Amino acid sequence: MNHNRQSNDGKHDDDSALSDFLASLMDYTPTIPDELVEHYLAKSGFQCPDVRLIRLVAVATQKFVAEVANDALQHCKARQAAVVKDKREKQQKDKRLILTMDDLSKSLREVGIPVTCSDVLKKNGHAFLFFVFND
Amino acid sequence: MSHGDVKSTRDTIKSENQQRLSLGRLKADEFGRAVSKIAVAQICESVGFQGFKESALEALTDILVCYLCDLGRNASFHANLAGRTECNLFDITRALEELEASHGFPSASDIGHCLVGSGTVREIIRFVDSEEEIPFAQPVPKFPIVRNRKLIPSFEHMNEKPPGKHIPTWLPAFPDPHTYIHTPMWNERASDPCADKIEQARQRRKAEKALLQLQQRLVCNGSSGTSTSLATDAEKEKVQGGESNPFLAAPLQPGEKDVSQVVSPAKPTDEASKGDHVSMLEAFAPAIEAMKGGPSDGEKLHLPEKRAAVHFKFRAGKKILGEPLDLSLQKKGDRGTTAFLRIEERDDKKRRAEFILRQTTEFPMELNQS
């Protein structure tokens, strides 16, 4: 009985936290616009008239992409620190953090998306990704 | 765009997308991808990147689009599993958990717990609280744009009966038979070769008349001479047709003024022969009358006082000489040479055409000279 009551209280807390969060979502504007999210969700069969859920999906996607980018940034910084620099020019140039395919593929592999980008395709200027989310 | 290109601002990405779109190689989802690219660039910028490689940016855009589609697909799957068509919060939570299952999330090991307390949602809440708000750079219109398609009207609409009992009336109507069956075309106009020739000749005469009148009018307007006397002749008044413009030069009577010798062709007084060879004589009549310079048969002729076109008449006289010869031939009543006449007719027509052309070219020259 006690356990149930505790769990019930916990549920209420979670409920309230979630409902508060959904309400706060209306104030928060995610970077990914609502129209874009609606378009792709409609393409895949997602039907929901509630705007808050659309915002939730947008925020979730933003979080995912931000995580991947953050990992890539860590890789980039790690690479810059590892390289021993003698000339100042190169150091100044390397201070600019640039998102490269190598860093990105490393971070994506951690997330579970194996990205293959051959050198031939790199030369052509296109990166064709063959990756599959868990299916 | 090569692999090594570095883009550091959103604006350059936008311009590049515009360039690509303007090239015409539009794929199905170009607009969505372009917008996603801008969003991804904004997210990366907020994370701390100062520049991107083109291929890396495209890869990340692909991932964003795939993630969105997968999330939607999973959520709708869970909703359908529960017997619903519309998704709710728990469907999304389950979908999120599925996507993140490969690399783990807090409370993943808890089974049988309420989804409200799911780790994924909590992480999202934490993310929203920690991250500052970065709205999208530009306003995005609602897409894709729904166009109202014009539907083919049904049988009922067209008040047509469908050709077959098995076809209901609410189906779109069949196209008109002439669009898919080769139907024969009949020339419903009765052709009368004789009447056609007469009609043709009449039209030709009309055209020549109009041309000659135009020339006369041009000469009238060009010449500085004015009429000394108003038209007193009844014929002239008839010719003028009620026009009471005193500034228009009235045509002179032959013999009223001394003019240089003009070779006048034979008058077309062969009323008898006119009846036999209608087309030829009537065709020549206006040209001959213009030559004479006097009004006749109600023709509207305005000749200049100064006679600036003397040369032309002289020259033209030579040309017309050919024609009286033909008239003489007709006078003889030589019917056996109808074929010959026809050939002559063609030559004369050519000559007449040349004559008229020469008038138009010579007139401005003479006007300048006078």
PDB file of all heavy atoms in Angstrom, chain A residues 14 18 29 31 38-40 47 69 96-99 108 122 129 133-134, chain B residues 3 8 29 49-51 53 63 70 87 89 98 121 133-134 136 142-143:
ATOM      1  N   ASP A  14       5.504  13.488 -11.721  1.00  0.00           N
ATOM      2  CA  ASP A  14       5.882  13.386 -13.127  1.00  0.00           C
ATOM      3  C   ASP A  14       4.821  14.004 -14.015  1.00  0.00           C
ATOM      4  O   ASP A  14       5.132  14.711 -14.988  1.00  0.00           O
ATOM      5  CB  ASP A  14       6.082  11.917 -13.508  1.00  0.00           C
ATOM      6  CG  ASP A  14       7.383  11.363 -12.947  1.00  0.00           C
ATOM      7  OD1 ASP A  14       8.316  12.165 -12.736  1.00  0.00           O
ATOM      8  OD2 ASP A  14       7.466  10.146 -12.729  1.00  0.00           O
ATOM      9  N   LEU A  18       5.427  17.048 -16.457  1.00  0.00           N
ATOM     10  CA  LEU A  18       5.221  16.905 -17.900  1.00  0.00           C
ATOM     11  C   LEU A  18       4.236  17.944 -18.421  1.00  0.00           C
ATOM     12  O   LEU A  18       4.447  18.565 -19.464  1.00  0.00           O
ATOM     13  CB  LEU A  18       4.698  15.493 -18.186  1.00  0.00           C
ATOM     14  CG  LEU A  18       4.948  14.947 -19.582  1.00  0.00           C
ATOM     15  CD1 LEU A  18       6.408  15.046 -19.953  1.00  0.00           C
ATOM     16  CD2 LEU A  18       4.490  13.517 -19.671  1.00  0.00           C
ATOM     17  N   THR A  29      10.562  28.546 -28.667  1.00  0.00           N
ATOM     18  CA  THR A  29      10.502  28.357 -30.120  1.00  0.00           C
ATOM     19  C   THR A  29      11.686  27.499 -30.545  1.00  0.00           C
ATOM     20  O   THR A  29      12.833  27.967 -30.486  1.00  0.00           O
ATOM     21  CB  THR A  29      10.572  29.706 -30.846  1.00  0.00           C
ATOM     22  OG1 THR A  29       9.698  30.614 -30.214  1.00  0.00           O
ATOM     23  CG2 THR A  29      10.189  29.563 -32.312  1.00  0.00           C
ATOM     24  N   THR A  31      14.417  25.648 -32.907  1.00  0.00           N
ATOM     25  CA  THR A  31      15.125  26.128 -34.099  1.00  0.00           C
ATOM     26  C   THR A  31      14.515  25.558 -35.369  1.00  0.00           C
ATOM     27  O   THR A  31      14.480  26.226 -36.407  1.00  0.00           O
ATOM     28  CB  THR A  31      16.607  25.742 -34.016  1.00  0.00           C
ATOM     29  OG1 THR A  31      17.093  26.117 -32.729  1.00  0.00           O
ATOM     30  CG2 THR A  31      17.414  26.447 -35.080  1.00  0.00           C
ATOM     31  N   GLU A  38       5.906  19.560 -39.380  1.00  0.00           N
ATOM     32  CA  GLU A  38       4.577  19.070 -39.784  1.00  0.00           C
ATOM     33  C   GLU A  38       4.635  18.374 -41.127  1.00  0.00           C
ATOM     34  O   GLU A  38       3.992  17.343 -41.336  1.00  0.00           O
ATOM     35  CB  GLU A  38       3.598  20.257 -39.850  1.00  0.00           C
ATOM     36  CG  GLU A  38       2.934  20.545 -38.528  1.00  0.00           C
ATOM     37  CD  GLU A  38       2.017  21.764 -38.616  1.00  0.00           C
ATOM     38  OE1 GLU A  38       1.611  22.121 -39.726  1.00  0.00           O
ATOM     39  OE2 GLU A  38       1.735  22.333 -37.557  1.00  0.00           O
ATOM     40  N   HIS A  39       5.405  18.958 -42.042  1.00  0.00           N
ATOM     41  CA  HIS A  39       5.497  18.376 -43.390  1.00  0.00           C
ATOM     42  C   HIS A  39       6.054  16.963 -43.348  1.00  0.00           C
ATOM     43  O   HIS A  39       5.479  16.023 -43.920  1.00  0.00           O
ATOM     44  CB  HIS A  39       6.365  19.283 -44.255  1.00  0.00           C
ATOM     45  CG  HIS A  39       6.726  18.705 -45.578  1.00  0.00           C
ATOM     46  ND1 HIS A  39       5.797  18.373 -46.520  1.00  0.00           N
ATOM     47  CD2 HIS A  39       7.924  18.374 -46.115  1.00  0.00           C
ATOM     48  CE1 HIS A  39       6.389  17.891 -47.577  1.00  0.00           C
ATOM     49  NE2 HIS A  39       7.678  17.864 -47.375  1.00  0.00           N
ATOM     50  N   TYR A  40       7.176  16.807 -42.629  1.00  0.00           N
ATOM     51  CA  TYR A  40       7.802  15.474 -42.626  1.00  0.00           C
ATOM     52  C   TYR A  40       7.011  14.479 -41.804  1.00  0.00           C
ATOM     53  O   TYR A  40       6.977  13.285 -42.129  1.00  0.00           O
ATOM     54  CB  TYR A  40       9.250  15.583 -42.121  1.00  0.00           C
ATOM     55  CG  TYR A  40      10.167  16.138 -43.183  1.00  0.00           C
ATOM     56  CD1 TYR A  40      10.831  17.335 -43.001  1.00  0.00           C
ATOM     57  CD2 TYR A  40      10.351  15.464 -44.382  1.00  0.00           C
ATOM     58  CE1 TYR A  40      11.664  17.843 -43.974  1.00  0.00           C
ATOM     59  CE2 TYR A  40      11.181  15.962 -45.361  1.00  0.00           C
ATOM     60  CZ  TYR A  40      11.824  17.159 -45.162  1.00  0.00           C
ATOM     61  OH  TYR A  40      12.635  17.659 -46.137  1.00  0.00           O
ATOM     62  N   GLN A  47      -0.330  11.770 -37.321  1.00  0.00           N
ATOM     63  CA  GLN A  47      -1.470  12.681 -37.340  1.00  0.00           C
ATOM     64  C   GLN A  47      -1.706  13.203 -35.943  1.00  0.00           C
ATOM     65  O   GLN A  47      -1.988  12.433 -35.028  1.00  0.00           O
ATOM     66  CB  GLN A  47      -2.713  11.922 -37.795  1.00  0.00           C
ATOM     67  CG  GLN A  47      -3.245  12.363 -39.122  1.00  0.00           C
ATOM     68  CD  GLN A  47      -4.513  11.622 -39.443  1.00  0.00           C
ATOM     69  OE1 GLN A  47      -4.585  10.407 -39.308  1.00  0.00           O
ATOM     70  NE2 GLN A  47      -5.507  12.341 -39.854  1.00  0.00           N
ATOM     71  N   ALA A  69      26.326  17.238 -33.092  1.00  0.00           N
ATOM     72  CA  ALA A  69      27.224  18.346 -33.402  1.00  0.00           C
ATOM     73  C   ALA A  69      28.215  18.578 -32.273  1.00  0.00           C
ATOM     74  O   ALA A  69      29.398  18.872 -32.507  1.00  0.00           O
ATOM     75  CB  ALA A  69      26.409  19.605 -33.674  1.00  0.00           C
ATOM     76  N   ARG A  96      39.712  28.307 -36.051  1.00  0.00           N
ATOM     77  CA  ARG A  96      38.357  28.225 -36.576  1.00  0.00           C
ATOM     78  C   ARG A  96      37.893  26.788 -36.523  1.00  0.00           C
ATOM     79  O   ARG A  96      38.523  25.907 -37.083  1.00  0.00           O
ATOM     80  CB  ARG A  96      38.319  28.732 -38.021  1.00  0.00           C
ATOM     81  CG  ARG A  96      38.153  30.231 -38.111  1.00  0.00           C
ATOM     82  CD  ARG A  96      37.869  30.624 -39.511  1.00  0.00           C
ATOM     83  NE  ARG A  96      36.465  30.566 -39.809  1.00  0.00           N
ATOM     84  CZ  ARG A  96      35.958  30.317 -41.009  1.00  0.00           C
ATOM     85  NH1 ARG A  96      36.739  30.045 -42.001  1.00  0.00           N
ATOM     86  NH2 ARG A  96      34.668  30.318 -41.204  1.00  0.00           N
ATOM     87  N   LEU A  97      36.774  26.560 -35.854  1.00  0.00           N
ATOM     88  CA  LEU A  97      36.226  25.217 -35.751  1.00  0.00           C
ATOM     89  C   LEU A  97      35.310  24.948 -36.940  1.00  0.00           C
ATOM     90  O   LEU A  97      34.316  25.661 -37.130  1.00  0.00           O
ATOM     91  CB  LEU A  97      35.431  25.076 -34.447  1.00  0.00           C
ATOM     92  CG  LEU A  97      36.266  25.257 -33.180  1.00  0.00           C
ATOM     93  CD1 LEU A  97      35.367  25.571 -32.000  1.00  0.00           C
ATOM     94  CD2 LEU A  97      37.106  24.025 -32.903  1.00  0.00           C
ATOM     95  N   ILE A  98      35.702  23.961 -37.693  1.00  0.00           N
ATOM     96  CA  ILE A  98      34.944  23.659 -38.905  1.00  0.00           C
ATOM     97  C   ILE A  98      34.405  22.246 -38.799  1.00  0.00           C
ATOM     98  O   ILE A  98      35.129  21.311 -38.459  1.00  0.00           O
ATOM     99  CB  ILE A  98      35.842  23.814 -40.148  1.00  0.00           C
ATOM    100  CG1 ILE A  98      36.254  25.285 -40.304  1.00  0.00           C
ATOM    101  CG2 ILE A  98      35.109  23.355 -41.398  1.00  0.00           C
ATOM    102  CD1 ILE A  98      37.305  25.501 -41.334  1.00  0.00           C
ATOM    103  N   LEU A  99      33.139  22.095 -39.140  1.00  0.00           N
ATOM    104  CA  LEU A  99      32.493  20.786 -39.124  1.00  0.00           C
ATOM    105  C   LEU A  99      32.940  20.014 -40.365  1.00  0.00           C
ATOM    106  O   LEU A  99      32.658  20.420 -41.491  1.00  0.00           O
ATOM    107  CB  LEU A  99      30.976  20.961 -39.139  1.00  0.00           C
ATOM    108  CG  LEU A  99      30.142  19.682 -39.252  1.00  0.00           C
ATOM    109  CD1 LEU A  99      30.219  18.870 -37.989  1.00  0.00           C
ATOM    110  CD2 LEU A  99      28.694  20.022 -39.545  1.00  0.00           C
ATOM    111  N   LEU A 108      28.666  10.199 -35.332  1.00  0.00           N
ATOM    112  CA  LEU A 108      27.456   9.470 -35.724  1.00  0.00           C
ATOM    113  C   LEU A 108      27.589   7.986 -35.416  1.00  0.00           C
ATOM    114  O   LEU A 108      26.606   7.310 -35.088  1.00  0.00           O
ATOM    115  CB  LEU A 108      27.169   9.657 -37.215  1.00  0.00           C
ATOM    116  CG  LEU A 108      26.557  11.007 -37.598  1.00  0.00           C
ATOM    117  CD1 LEU A 108      26.497  11.161 -39.113  1.00  0.00           C
ATOM    118  CD2 LEU A 108      25.167  11.153 -37.017  1.00  0.00           C
ATOM    119  N   LYS A 122      33.632  11.984 -52.315  1.00  0.00           N
ATOM    120  CA  LYS A 122      34.061  13.271 -51.748  1.00  0.00           C
ATOM    121  C   LYS A 122      34.528  14.184 -52.855  1.00  0.00           C
ATOM    122  O   LYS A 122      34.265  15.371 -52.867  1.00  0.00           O
ATOM    123  CB  LYS A 122      35.201  13.036 -50.750  1.00  0.00           C
ATOM    124  CG  LYS A 122      34.730  12.793 -49.344  1.00  0.00           C
ATOM    125  CD  LYS A 122      35.908  12.811 -48.391  1.00  0.00           C
ATOM    126  CE  LYS A 122      35.631  11.893 -47.203  1.00  0.00           C
ATOM    127  NZ  LYS A 122      36.810  11.662 -46.403  1.00  0.00           N
ATOM    128  N   LEU A 129      25.044   9.230 -48.077  1.00  0.00           N
ATOM    129  CA  LEU A 129      25.059   8.483 -46.822  1.00  0.00           C
ATOM    130  C   LEU A 129      24.198   7.247 -46.961  1.00  0.00           C
ATOM    131  O   LEU A 129      23.090   7.301 -47.480  1.00  0.00           O
ATOM    132  CB  LEU A 129      24.518   9.331 -45.690  1.00  0.00           C
ATOM    133  CG  LEU A 129      25.218  10.647 -45.462  1.00  0.00           C
ATOM    134  CD1 LEU A 129      24.542  11.377 -44.341  1.00  0.00           C
ATOM    135  CD2 LEU A 129      26.677  10.439 -45.133  1.00  0.00           C
ATOM    136  N   PHE A 133      18.402   3.993 -39.512  1.00  0.00           N
ATOM    137  CA  PHE A 133      18.048   4.024 -38.082  1.00  0.00           C
ATOM    138  C   PHE A 133      17.571   2.644 -37.698  1.00  0.00           C
ATOM    139  O   PHE A 133      17.151   1.858 -38.534  1.00  0.00           O
ATOM    140  CB  PHE A 133      16.960   5.066 -37.809  1.00  0.00           C
ATOM    141  CG  PHE A 133      17.515   6.461 -37.721  1.00  0.00           C
ATOM    142  CD1 PHE A 133      17.471   7.291 -38.827  1.00  0.00           C
ATOM    143  CD2 PHE A 133      18.073   6.924 -36.550  1.00  0.00           C
ATOM    144  CE1 PHE A 133      17.975   8.573 -38.744  1.00  0.00           C
ATOM    145  CE2 PHE A 133      18.575   8.203 -36.477  1.00  0.00           C
ATOM    146  CZ  PHE A 133      18.523   9.022 -37.570  1.00  0.00           C
ATOM    147  N   ASN A 134      17.595   2.361 -36.428  1.00  0.00           N
ATOM    148  CA  ASN A 134      17.318   0.986 -36.036  1.00  0.00           C
ATOM    149  C   ASN A 134      15.925   0.564 -36.521  1.00  0.00           C
ATOM    150  O   ASN A 134      14.932   1.176 -36.222  1.00  0.00           O
ATOM    151  CB  ASN A 134      17.396   0.836 -34.504  1.00  0.00           C
ATOM    152  CG  ASN A 134      16.503   1.849 -33.799  1.00  0.00           C
ATOM    153  OD1 ASN A 134      16.347   2.959 -34.262  1.00  0.00           O
ATOM    154  ND2 ASN A 134      15.913   1.435 -32.704  1.00  0.00           N
TER     155      ASN A 134
ATOM    156  N   HIS B   3      34.005  19.521 -52.246  1.00  0.00           N
ATOM    157  CA  HIS B   3      33.983  19.046 -50.872  1.00  0.00           C
ATOM    158  C   HIS B   3      34.684  20.026 -49.953  1.00  0.00           C
ATOM    159  O   HIS B   3      34.328  20.180 -48.792  1.00  0.00           O
ATOM    160  CB  HIS B   3      34.673  17.675 -50.821  1.00  0.00           C
ATOM    161  CG  HIS B   3      34.846  17.157 -49.437  1.00  0.00           C
ATOM    162  ND1 HIS B   3      33.806  16.662 -48.692  1.00  0.00           N
ATOM    163  CD2 HIS B   3      35.933  17.050 -48.667  1.00  0.00           C
ATOM    164  CE1 HIS B   3      34.249  16.275 -47.524  1.00  0.00           C
ATOM    165  NE2 HIS B   3      35.544  16.483 -47.465  1.00  0.00           N
ATOM    166  N   SER B   8      30.417  29.529 -43.811  1.00  0.00           N
ATOM    167  CA  SER B   8      30.387  29.924 -42.416  1.00  0.00           C
ATOM    168  C   SER B   8      29.159  30.705 -42.026  1.00  0.00           C
ATOM    169  O   SER B   8      28.898  30.893 -40.869  1.00  0.00           O
ATOM    170  CB  SER B   8      31.629  30.750 -42.077  1.00  0.00           C
ATOM    171  OG  SER B   8      31.664  31.858 -42.957  1.00  0.00           O
ATOM    172  N   ASP B  29      11.898  17.135 -52.946  1.00  0.00           N
ATOM    173  CA  ASP B  29      11.835  17.708 -51.615  1.00  0.00           C
ATOM    174  C   ASP B  29      12.832  18.852 -51.435  1.00  0.00           C
ATOM    175  O   ASP B  29      13.336  19.070 -50.340  1.00  0.00           O
ATOM    176  CB  ASP B  29      12.127  16.600 -50.589  1.00  0.00           C
ATOM    177  CG  ASP B  29      11.545  16.944 -49.237  1.00  0.00           C
ATOM    178  OD1 ASP B  29      10.652  17.809 -49.196  1.00  0.00           O
ATOM    179  OD2 ASP B  29      12.010  16.376 -48.235  1.00  0.00           O
ATOM    180  N   PHE B  49      30.316  25.726 -33.638  1.00  0.00           N
ATOM    181  CA  PHE B  49      31.060  25.670 -34.882  1.00  0.00           C
ATOM    182  C   PHE B  49      31.074  27.036 -35.556  1.00  0.00           C
ATOM    183  O   PHE B  49      30.112  27.791 -35.484  1.00  0.00           O
ATOM    184  CB  PHE B  49      30.437  24.646 -35.836  1.00  0.00           C
ATOM    185  CG  PHE B  49      30.865  23.234 -35.545  1.00  0.00           C
ATOM    186  CD1 PHE B  49      29.978  22.335 -34.993  1.00  0.00           C
ATOM    187  CD2 PHE B  49      32.154  22.813 -35.838  1.00  0.00           C
ATOM    188  CE1 PHE B  49      30.368  21.038 -34.734  1.00  0.00           C
ATOM    189  CE2 PHE B  49      32.546  21.509 -35.581  1.00  0.00           C
ATOM    190  CZ  PHE B  49      31.656  20.622 -35.017  1.00  0.00           C
ATOM    191  N   GLN B  50      32.200  27.306 -36.243  1.00  0.00           N
ATOM    192  CA  GLN B  50      32.305  28.565 -36.967  1.00  0.00           C
ATOM    193  C   GLN B  50      32.251  28.381 -38.475  1.00  0.00           C
ATOM    194  O   GLN B  50      32.124  29.338 -39.217  1.00  0.00           O
ATOM    195  CB  GLN B  50      33.621  29.278 -36.591  1.00  0.00           C
ATOM    196  CG  GLN B  50      33.575  29.876 -35.208  1.00  0.00           C
ATOM    197  CD  GLN B  50      34.914  29.726 -34.502  1.00  0.00           C
ATOM    198  OE1 GLN B  50      35.856  29.154 -35.030  1.00  0.00           O
ATOM    199  NE2 GLN B  50      34.990  30.256 -33.299  1.00  0.00           N
ATOM    200  N   GLY B  51      32.396  27.155 -38.898  1.00  0.00           N
ATOM    201  CA  GLY B  51      32.355  26.898 -40.335  1.00  0.00           C
ATOM    202  C   GLY B  51      31.944  25.463 -40.578  1.00  0.00           C
ATOM    203  O   GLY B  51      32.048  24.607 -39.696  1.00  0.00           O
ATOM    204  N   LYS B  53      31.826  22.178 -43.569  1.00  0.00           N
ATOM    205  CA  LYS B  53      32.134  21.617 -44.871  1.00  0.00           C
ATOM    206  C   LYS B  53      30.801  21.275 -45.536  1.00  0.00           C
ATOM    207  O   LYS B  53      29.873  20.813 -44.880  1.00  0.00           O
ATOM    208  CB  LYS B  53      32.966  20.336 -44.717  1.00  0.00           C
ATOM    209  CG  LYS B  53      34.364  20.584 -44.209  1.00  0.00           C
ATOM    210  CD  LYS B  53      35.341  20.614 -45.346  1.00  0.00           C
ATOM    211  CE  LYS B  53      36.754  20.873 -44.828  1.00  0.00           C
ATOM    212  NZ  LYS B  53      37.732  20.991 -45.884  1.00  0.00           N
ATOM    213  N   ILE B  63      20.381  13.522 -41.992  1.00  0.00           N
ATOM    214  CA  ILE B  63      20.096  12.854 -40.723  1.00  0.00           C
ATOM    215  C   ILE B  63      18.897  13.477 -40.037  1.00  0.00           C
ATOM    216  O   ILE B  63      18.040  12.770 -39.491  1.00  0.00           O
ATOM    217  CB  ILE B  63      21.351  12.888 -39.818  1.00  0.00           C
ATOM    218  CG1 ILE B  63      22.348  11.884 -40.352  1.00  0.00           C
ATOM    219  CG2 ILE B  63      21.015  12.614 -38.378  1.00  0.00           C
ATOM    220  CD1 ILE B  63      23.721  12.059 -39.823  1.00  0.00           C
ATOM    221  N   ASP B  70      11.506   9.076 -39.150  1.00  0.00           N
ATOM    222  CA  ASP B  70      11.464   7.856 -38.344  1.00  0.00           C
ATOM    223  C   ASP B  70      10.646   8.046 -37.078  1.00  0.00           C
ATOM    224  O   ASP B  70       9.892   7.141 -36.670  1.00  0.00           O
ATOM    225  CB  ASP B  70      12.886   7.431 -37.978  1.00  0.00           C
ATOM    226  CG  ASP B  70      13.492   6.547 -39.055  1.00  0.00           C
ATOM    227  OD1 ASP B  70      12.749   6.145 -39.964  1.00  0.00           O
ATOM    228  OD2 ASP B  70      14.695   6.263 -38.990  1.00  0.00           O
ATOM    229  N   CYS B  87      -1.960  10.394 -32.899  1.00  0.00           N
ATOM    230  CA  CYS B  87      -0.901  10.090 -31.921  1.00  0.00           C
ATOM    231  C   CYS B  87      -1.032  10.996 -30.701  1.00  0.00           C
ATOM    232  O   CYS B  87      -1.520  12.118 -30.807  1.00  0.00           O
ATOM    233  CB  CYS B  87       0.468  10.317 -32.553  1.00  0.00           C
ATOM    234  SG  CYS B  87       0.681   9.412 -34.078  1.00  0.00           S
ATOM    235  N   LEU B  89       0.990  11.866 -26.638  1.00  0.00           N
ATOM    236  CA  LEU B  89       2.308  12.041 -26.016  1.00  0.00           C
ATOM    237  C   LEU B  89       3.017  10.715 -25.811  1.00  0.00           C
ATOM    238  O   LEU B  89       4.236  10.598 -26.004  1.00  0.00           O
ATOM    239  CB  LEU B  89       2.114  12.766 -24.674  1.00  0.00           C
ATOM    240  CG  LEU B  89       3.359  12.949 -23.810  1.00  0.00           C
ATOM    241  CD1 LEU B  89       4.325  13.912 -24.476  1.00  0.00           C
ATOM    242  CD2 LEU B  89       2.984  13.456 -22.430  1.00  0.00           C
ATOM    243  N   GLU B  98      12.520   4.086 -28.500  1.00  0.00           N
ATOM    244  CA  GLU B  98      12.981   3.118 -29.500  1.00  0.00           C
ATOM    245  C   GLU B  98      14.196   3.636 -30.248  1.00  0.00           C
ATOM    246  O   GLU B  98      15.148   2.904 -30.500  1.00  0.00           O
ATOM    247  CB  GLU B  98      11.864   2.828 -30.499  1.00  0.00           C
ATOM    248  CG  GLU B  98      11.016   1.645 -30.122  1.00  0.00           C
ATOM    249  CD  GLU B  98      10.172   1.175 -31.297  1.00  0.00           C
ATOM    250  OE1 GLU B  98      10.613   1.320 -32.451  1.00  0.00           O
ATOM    251  OE2 GLU B  98       9.077   0.659 -31.041  1.00  0.00           O
ATOM    252  N   VAL B 121      12.034  11.837 -21.940  1.00  0.00           N
ATOM    253  CA  VAL B 121      11.307  13.093 -21.772  1.00  0.00           C
ATOM    254  C   VAL B 121      12.018  13.982 -20.762  1.00  0.00           C
ATOM    255  O   VAL B 121      12.133  15.202 -20.952  1.00  0.00           O
ATOM    256  CB  VAL B 121       9.853  12.824 -21.346  1.00  0.00           C
ATOM    257  CG1 VAL B 121       9.082  14.110 -21.227  1.00  0.00           C
ATOM    258  CG2 VAL B 121       9.179  11.898 -22.334  1.00  0.00           C
ATOM    259  N   GLU B 133      17.042  29.793 -26.325  1.00  0.00           N
ATOM    260  CA  GLU B 133      16.112  29.672 -27.455  1.00  0.00           C
ATOM    261  C   GLU B 133      16.727  30.298 -28.714  1.00  0.00           C
ATOM    262  O   GLU B 133      17.190  31.426 -28.698  1.00  0.00           O
ATOM    263  CB  GLU B 133      14.815  30.402 -27.099  1.00  0.00           C
ATOM    264  CG  GLU B 133      13.710  30.220 -28.091  1.00  0.00           C
ATOM    265  CD  GLU B 133      12.442  30.903 -27.629  1.00  0.00           C
ATOM    266  OE1 GLU B 133      12.207  30.926 -26.405  1.00  0.00           O
ATOM    267  OE2 GLU B 133      11.705  31.425 -28.459  1.00  0.00           O
ATOM    268  N   ILE B 134      16.735  29.538 -29.776  1.00  0.00           N
ATOM    269  CA  ILE B 134      17.227  30.057 -31.056  1.00  0.00           C
ATOM    270  C   ILE B 134      16.115  29.872 -32.085  1.00  0.00           C
ATOM    271  O   ILE B 134      15.959  28.787 -32.645  1.00  0.00           O
ATOM    272  CB  ILE B 134      18.483  29.303 -31.532  1.00  0.00           C
ATOM    273  CG1 ILE B 134      19.519  29.202 -30.423  1.00  0.00           C
ATOM    274  CG2 ILE B 134      19.080  30.002 -32.753  1.00  0.00           C
ATOM    275  CD1 ILE B 134      20.469  28.062 -30.640  1.00  0.00           C
ATOM    276  N   PHE B 136      14.075  30.063 -35.646  1.00  0.00           N
ATOM    277  CA  PHE B 136      14.518  29.899 -37.028  1.00  0.00           C
ATOM    278  C   PHE B 136      14.733  31.263 -37.672  1.00  0.00           C
ATOM    279  O   PHE B 136      14.029  32.213 -37.372  1.00  0.00           O
ATOM    280  CB  PHE B 136      13.473  29.095 -37.797  1.00  0.00           C
ATOM    281  CG  PHE B 136      13.934  28.626 -39.133  1.00  0.00           C
ATOM    282  CD1 PHE B 136      14.921  27.671 -39.243  1.00  0.00           C
ATOM    283  CD2 PHE B 136      13.375  29.148 -40.290  1.00  0.00           C
ATOM    284  CE1 PHE B 136      15.352  27.236 -40.477  1.00  0.00           C
ATOM    285  CE2 PHE B 136      13.803  28.717 -41.517  1.00  0.00           C
ATOM    286  CZ  PHE B 136      14.786  27.766 -41.613  1.00  0.00           C
ATOM    287  N   LYS B 142       3.595  27.895 -45.085  1.00  0.00           N
ATOM    288  CA  LYS B 142       3.020  26.564 -44.940  1.00  0.00           C
ATOM    289  C   LYS B 142       3.248  25.794 -46.239  1.00  0.00           C
ATOM    290  O   LYS B 142       2.862  26.224 -47.306  1.00  0.00           O
ATOM    291  CB  LYS B 142       1.506  26.714 -44.671  1.00  0.00           C
ATOM    292  CG  LYS B 142       0.816  25.464 -44.199  1.00  0.00           C
ATOM    293  CD  LYS B 142       0.470  25.574 -42.726  1.00  0.00           C
ATOM    294  CE  LYS B 142      -0.351  24.388 -42.252  1.00  0.00           C
ATOM    295  NZ  LYS B 142       0.291  23.120 -42.441  1.00  0.00           N
ATOM    296  N   PHE B 143       3.856  24.665 -46.165  1.00  0.00           N
ATOM    297  CA  PHE B 143       4.107  23.882 -47.373  1.00  0.00           C
ATOM    298  C   PHE B 143       3.787  22.433 -47.112  1.00  0.00           C
ATOM    299  O   PHE B 143       3.823  21.987 -45.982  1.00  0.00           O
ATOM    300  CB  PHE B 143       5.558  24.083 -47.848  1.00  0.00           C
ATOM    301  CG  PHE B 143       6.587  23.359 -47.039  1.00  0.00           C
ATOM    302  CD1 PHE B 143       7.119  22.161 -47.470  1.00  0.00           C
ATOM    303  CD2 PHE B 143       7.022  23.872 -45.831  1.00  0.00           C
ATOM    304  CE1 PHE B 143       8.074  21.500 -46.741  1.00  0.00           C
ATOM    305  CE2 PHE B 143       7.970  23.211 -45.095  1.00  0.00           C
ATOM    306  CZ  PHE B 143       8.515  22.034 -45.550  1.00  0.00           C
TER     307      PHE B 143
END
